[in-house]
Amino acid sequence: MRQMVNNIEVVGKIKTINLQETTIQDGSEVMRGDIVIEVTNEHGYNEIRFDVFTRKYTKQGGVNTKYTAMQTVKNEYVKGDSVRVLGQMGFNEYNHKTTGDYILLNKPSLNFISRIGEEVPESSKAEFEMLIIEVKEPTEELEKALITGVNVGWNDYLTVLHELTVMPELYTQVKDHYKVNETVKVQCDIINKVEEVVEDISPAGVFGNVEPTIIRNYERENRIVGGFMPYKADEFDDKGLALKVTETEITNILQARKTAVQGLVKPVTSDFAATDMPFNSNDIPF
């Protein structure tokens, strides 16, 4: 299948760097961990976490340039550095270790990072192509439309883009076009807004020097802010590959997802797993 667009660009300041050089089970030397970027923009204060994983050596035996770059980040980059990060959206699905409930979380992974001038406006943007597999329209209870899709990556790797949000006024422009089984390209804001609330302490209920408890509240969404009309069957890329996913490819994607979900410890009934999933801020990978 054609490899689809899956690009993230974040401009902000480094909050934390957590990288380790280690050896994994197959004996490969790797760099793994995460980097958290602070972004302050029109959505408020956000913390965007990028997963990092790269092997030290390529298949040809040479040193991987990405590994060398991550060594530089680990040894020379510091908190507060202004950076541009390029990556892609991935996801993690699993059964909750306590409840057994199905959890699916989208999470960015890092491809490239570089220092930049501080005058560059901070932002967290993404562009995705996807096959739409589910649409939830706004209701009295559901403020925003929710669109779930599947992105086809390198070597036919499938990434579920779970419940991208669409504001009602924007959804009215595309609701007659963004249907299940359509192939589309959208542009998103990556939002992981963080607000800290200081919990009140009653003097009557404590003794000694008691510090107030700070609670961190998260508002997390990947919000569609624009996009393109669904691809037509006669549209092709520069390699001559059809932009629109064919019926045969749709069948293959559905079967691959069904197999993946059935392979979980506690399989779920839907091919794309529970869409009304229990949500716990402790599960947020940011």
Side-chain angles (χ1 to χ4, degrees):
M1 290 183 283
R2 178 182 67 88
Q3 183 174 344
M4 295 180 177
V5 172
N6 181 351
N7 296 326
I8 296 175
E9 180 180 38
V10 171
V11 176
K13 294 180 175 62
I14 291 176
K15 180 182 181 183
T16 60
I17 298 173
N18 175 30
L19 297 177
Q20 294 181 333
E21 298 177 70
T22 186
T23 301
I24 58 177
Q25 193 170 7
D26 67 2
S28 300
E29 296 179 66
V30 302
M31 179 82 74
R32 70 192 315 172
D34 59 75
I35 299 174
V36 177
I37 308 300
E38 298 177 316
V39 177
T40 302
N41 55 21
E42 68 272 20
H43 302 299
Y45 171 76
N46 299 266
E47 294 178 0
I48 312 297
R49 172 186 163 183
F50 283 88
D51 283 349
V52 175
F53 181 89
T54 181
R55 296 177 185 271
K56 185 173 183 178
Y57 298 106
T58 65
K59 291 182 178 180
Q60 292 71 34
V63 176
N64 188 339
T65 55
K66 182 178 177 181
Y67 187 95
T68 303
M70 288 302 101
Q71 283 184 312
T72 300
V73 172
K74 181 176 182 288
N75 297 326
E76 299 181 14
Y77 284 36
V78 296
K79 179 178 180 179
D81 280 350
S82 293
V83 294
R84 173 179 284 107
V85 182
L86 303 180
Q88 60 188 29
M89 187 64 77
F91 77 109
N92 189 21
E93 58 184 340
Y94 57 93
N95 297 118
H96 193 280
K97 62 183 179 181
T98 302
T99 65
D101 291 326
Y102 175 84
I103 303 292
L104 188 152
L105 294 169
N106 282 119
K107 47 195 303 189
S109 60
L110 184 147
N111 292 333
F112 176 80
I113 181 172
S114 62
R115 290 192 184 104
I116 58 172
E118 294 185 1
E119 69 278 1
V120 178
E122 297 185 356
S123 62
S124 50
K125 305 287 187 180
E127 186 171 63
F128 305 125
E129 288 179 313
M130 62 181 178
L131 169 70
I132 296 176
I133 57 150
E134 184 179 50
V135 177
K136 291 184 178 180
E137 296 195 349
T139 63
E140 291 184 2
E141 294 77 23
L142 186 64
E143 176 187 358
K144 306 165 188 173
L146 302 175
I147 297 178
T148 296
V150 173
N151 176 276
V152 180
W154 181 79
N155 203 25
D156 291 347
Y157 180 80
L158 302 180
T159 296
V160 178
L161 300 172
H162 183 67
E163 294 192 344
L164 307 182
T165 62
V166 190
M167 300 301 289
E169 59 273 17
L170 183 61
Y171 181 68
T172 58
Q173 301 178 34
V174 298
K175 66 179 182 178
D176 294 331
H177 306 283
Y178 274 38
K179 302 290 187 180
V180 170
N181 289 345
E182 294 289 359
T183 310
V184 299
K185 180 163 68 173
V186 298
Q187 296 178 349
C188 300
D189 285 349
I190 307 299
I191 302 170
N192 193 51
K193 187 176 179 180
V194 183
E195 292 184 344
E196 293 187 346
V197 179
V198 179
E199 189 177 49
D200 292 333
I201 298 177
S202 171
V206 301
F207 65 92
N209 296 320
V210 178
E211 295 291 332
T213 300
I214 299 177
I215 301 173
R216 289 168 63 85
N217 294 323
Y218 296 87
E219 180 183 331
R220 181 176 180 269
E221 61 179 303
N222 299 317
R223 182 185 297 174
I224 295 175
V225 295
F228 302 84
M229 288 297 102
Y231 293 133
K232 299 178 181 178
D234 60 353
E235 292 184 286
F236 302 88
D237 66 8
D238 56 4
K239 297 180 180 178
L241 300 175
L243 295 176
K244 181 180 176 66
V245 176
T246 67
E247 291 186 8
T248 299
E249 290 171 337
I250 291 173
T251 300
N252 292 339
I253 288 172
L254 294 176
Q255 183 57 49
R257 281 299 304 148
K258 183 176 182 179
T259 301
V261 172
Q262 288 177 340
L264 295 172
V265 175
K266 181 183 177 183
V268 293
T269 55
S270 167
D271 291 351
F272 297 97
T275 52
D276 297 320
M277 295 179 294
F279 182 78
N280 187 326
S281 62
N282 293 326
D283 293 320
I284 296 176
F286 290 86

